[in-house]
Amino acid sequence: MPPAACTGKAGASHPSPSTSKSNAAPSPVGKSEINGTWLNGKWYEPPVSFQGLTKSFHASVHHSSAIYFKTNILTSTFVPNKILSRDAFKRFALDFLTFGNGYLEKRTSRTGQILQLTHALAKYVRRGRELDNYFFMNGWQQEHAFDKGAVFHLMDPDLNQEVYGVPQYLSALQSAWLNEAATLFRRKYYKNGSHAGFVLYMTDPAANIKDVDNLRQAMRDSKGPGNFRNLFMYAPNGNKDGIQILPVSDVAAKDEFFNIKGVTRDDVLAAHRVPPQLMGIMPNNTGGFGAIEPAARVFVRNELVPLQTQFLALNDWLGQEVVKFDEYTLGNMEGK
């Protein structure tokens, strides 16, 4: 019997982002997609859109960089062997940190000896009705059934179901998307060339209608991709305040942009539990973030060691030690 918490489609009363008719831009992962999973004939569908997680991976520089940072440290401390290569482990770790699920396929000889553990892309792996069956699907009606019991599945536990894992950073995705939206808006603002964030106020009687029309046309021509043009106005015998430039909201928009970038960055780093000084982030205050070495040691003890412990579950599944880590050291000033 399939798990009771996974037989029905959760959140069916809410429209999914892919079917919503709202004019708002759909989010890659919605609330209705993280409540449970449902059986789709042969396999269970994941509780979170893996396609959405893939798109969100590059939504924020701090989001993807934090995942790469953890993956690189795990890979650098991993001890490769003839069964599990360093490259396969790195792909396995990257999938686990991104999707909350990681898969390795066991390749055996005719005599039953383990030859190799190969990585299977978590984005396309699905768990079958019988939970020890796995399928690889890539496209419509393109599926491959793995041999029963040949796939090791490492997952971060979920509160709503026990078929798939979910990544621990889900609560920070809204901040990552807001960070991306602010960056895209700012980029489009500069790209379209519409930078006239002011009102040109003219009261000088020396200006005639022809000059005003010429100035209006010059301002229109100043807009466009890559245009940052200066305007010249000749007003003989004009008053000191006859022509004024009144800013509208450009300064406020800049301040809001930097506030959004800063707040969303802090949210993402808090979800990944990575100290900002380890990410190469420059502090905004004069005090800085503190010494980097103590922060690195705390990060290793509180984040890296628990992650390494999770990967040791592969040894229990195989019945032999294939995952082993060297001790993480910072080295000395000479780089030794």
Side-chain angles (χ1 to χ4, degrees):
M1 291 292 290
C6 309
T7 55
K9 184 175 181 179
S13 59
H14 302 283
S16 67
S18 59
T19 58
S20 175
K21 296 183 180 180
S22 172
N23 293 329
S27 300
V29 183
K31 279 187 176 180
S32 62
E33 297 182 348
I34 63 175
N35 293 327
T37 185
W38 55 282
L39 185 63
N40 183 15
K42 296 180 180 179
W43 58 74
Y44 288 98
E45 293 294 337
V48 181
S49 170
F50 286 173
Q51 179 67 24
L53 293 179
T54 304
K55 292 180 179 179
S56 300
F57 183 78
H58 297 290
S60 166
V61 60
H62 309 103
H63 175 52
S64 58
S65 182
I67 294 177
Y68 279 133
F69 178 72
K70 293 181 183 180
T71 303
N72 290 339
I73 294 183
L74 285 169
T75 306
S76 68
T77 57
F78 172 71
V79 180
N81 51 74
K82 64 178 182 180
I83 295 179
L84 183 59
S85 66
R86 190 183 300 275
D87 179 71
F89 176 81
K90 183 174 184 178
R91 297 172 184 272
F92 175 54
L94 181 61
D95 268 0
F96 176 72
L97 294 174
T98 304
F99 301 103
N101 299 271
Y103 302 93
L104 291 172
E105 181 186 7
K106 179 174 61 177
R107 302 284 179 87
T108 59
S109 64
R110 293 185 177 181
T111 59
Q113 296 294 322
I114 302 175
L115 299 177
Q116 192 179 25
L117 290 172
T118 60
H119 167 253
L121 285 170
K123 180 179 178 181
Y124 303 109
V125 176
R126 299 294 182 266
R127 201 168 186 181
R129 179 188 292 268
E130 298 182 13
L131 297 183
D132 55 351
N133 286 340
Y134 291 86
F135 298 86
F136 188 89
M137 48 82 63
N138 185 13
W140 175 250
Q141 294 184 343
Q142 297 180 15
E143 62 183 64
H144 165 73
F146 292 101
D147 293 338
K148 187 173 183 179
V151 174
F152 171 71
H153 183 188
L154 180 66
M155 65 180 187
D156 254 344
D158 183 24
L159 296 176
N160 298 297
Q161 45 82 37
E162 55 188 7
V163 178
Y164 293 99
V166 293
Q168 298 181 7
Y169 60 78
L170 279 183
S171 59
L173 280 181
Q174 296 290 346
S175 294
W177 297 332
L178 179 58
N179 188 292
E180 179 189 36
T183 303
L184 291 177
F185 175 81
R186 200 70 177 176
R187 179 172 176 264
K188 292 177 181 178
Y189 170 77
Y190 280 103
K191 188 176 181 180
N192 65 21
S194 298
H195 307 286
F198 60 86
V199 174
L200 186 63
Y201 179 60
M202 297 183 61
T203 60
D204 197 332
N208 57 45
I209 298 300
K210 185 177 180 180
D211 291 337
V212 173
D213 292 339
N214 291 336
L215 182 60
R216 182 183 292 112
Q217 185 61 40
M219 292 186 64
R220 290 175 179 172
D221 294 339
S222 69
K223 297 183 180 181
N227 287 339
F228 288 86
R229 299 181 181 178
N230 296 321
L231 300 178
F232 173 75
M233 178 64 183
Y234 176 61
N237 302 321
N239 297 325
K240 178 181 177 181
D241 297 327
I243 300 177
Q244 299 183 51
I245 295 178
L246 306 178
V248 180
S249 59
D250 186 59
V251 175
K254 288 183 179 179
D255 292 341
E256 191 63 26
F257 172 74
F258 288 116
N259 289 336
I260 291 175
K261 295 290 287 186
V263 171
T264 55
R265 177 200 68 187
D266 294 344
D267 286 348
V268 171
L269 292 185
H272 287 290
R273 299 178 296 277
V274 177
Q277 56 265 55
L278 300 183
M279 299 281 291
I281 297 175
M282 299 299 294
N284 296 324
N285 56 0
T286 56
F289 295 122
I292 189 172
E293 185 172 340
R297 296 188 185 280
V298 172
F299 169 78
V300 169
R301 179 61 190 91
N302 292 349
E303 186 68 18
L304 180 63
V305 172
L307 276 175
Q308 291 175 336
T309 303
Q310 285 184 278
F311 285 96
L312 295 180
L314 177 59
N315 297 337
D316 299 331
W317 183 75
L318 277 180
Q320 65 183 86
E321 187 180 44
V322 294
V323 175
K324 184 180 179 181
F325 296 98
D326 288 330
E327 183 180 357
Y328 177 80
T329 58
L330 297 177
N332 54 28
M333 297 303 293
E334 286 74 28
K336 296 180 181 179

